[in-house]
Amino acid sequence: MHMQPQQPSQAPVPPASPAPIIPPASSKGPLVAALLVGLLVGGAGVGTAWALTGSGEDPSISAGPAADARGACAALAGFDASKYAVKGDEGQVALYRWNGAVVLSEAAATADPTYKPLADALRRASQRHQQVFEFDAQVNKDIAQSRKICAGL
């Protein structure tokens, strides 16, 4: 019998795993820089417009709870409940004016209790609206009361 020399056993070699795919490096630097430049230019534009069109009011009068109450009343004056459910820009404007009136009245009342009746009336209207999802007679009554309070400010 003829014996062949034994060869050392070799374990099968697993195939090499493919190299991971590395996406090309994308730098967010230019995007961030563009956003910052846009923010700075926009802020400068707003500041310039504000400075050029200032009403000459005493700064203590144009800020604070009185300004918040006036803002609430201005938003309420521009609010049209019939537009609230309209799709598109008209509906969005109505929504923002309504929310603005409610929130600004709360800010005014929090800082100065003089404005509490306005905030209370708008809060009642807002809470009722959230319950019934419409501007029903009770909501409209509170809105009318809010507008009457605004007329006296």
Side-chain angles (χ1 to χ4, degrees):
M1 207 153 97
H2 183 281
M3 293 186 91
Q4 293 187 7
Q6 237 181 357
Q7 294 186 3
S9 70
Q10 294 180 349
V13 177
S17 61
I21 299 173
I22 300 172
S26 62
S27 174
K28 292 184 181 172
L31 176 62
V32 171
L35 288 172
L36 287 174
V37 168
L39 182 63
L40 291 172
V41 169
V46 169
T48 301
W50 189 14
L52 293 175
T53 62
S55 62
E57 288 184 10
D58 179 356
S60 64
I61 295 172
S62 63
D68 291 339
R70 283 192 308 273
C73 291
L76 188 60
F79 172 68
D80 182 353
S82 69
K83 306 277 190 209
Y84 188 85
V86 172
K87 293 196 184 295
D89 291 345
E90 280 185 314
Q92 288 293 312
V93 168
L95 170 79
Y96 294 139
R97 285 183 178 157
W98 173 246
N99 289 332
V102 173
V103 171
L104 283 170
S105 72
E106 292 288 354
T110 299
D112 185 343
T114 303
Y115 303 109
K116 188 173 180 337
L118 175 62
D120 289 345
L122 282 170
R123 186 181 319 108
R124 280 192 310 273
S126 176
Q127 288 172 346
R128 172 71 181 170
H129 179 260
Q130 290 172 7
Q131 291 171 348
V132 299
F133 301 105
E134 65 178 307
F135 290 90
D136 67 359
Q138 184 60 48
V139 175
N140 287 326
K141 179 181 172 189
D142 288 326
I143 290 173
Q145 181 184 2
S146 300
R147 287 184 167 139
K148 190 182 281 188
I149 293 168
C150 284
L153 292 180

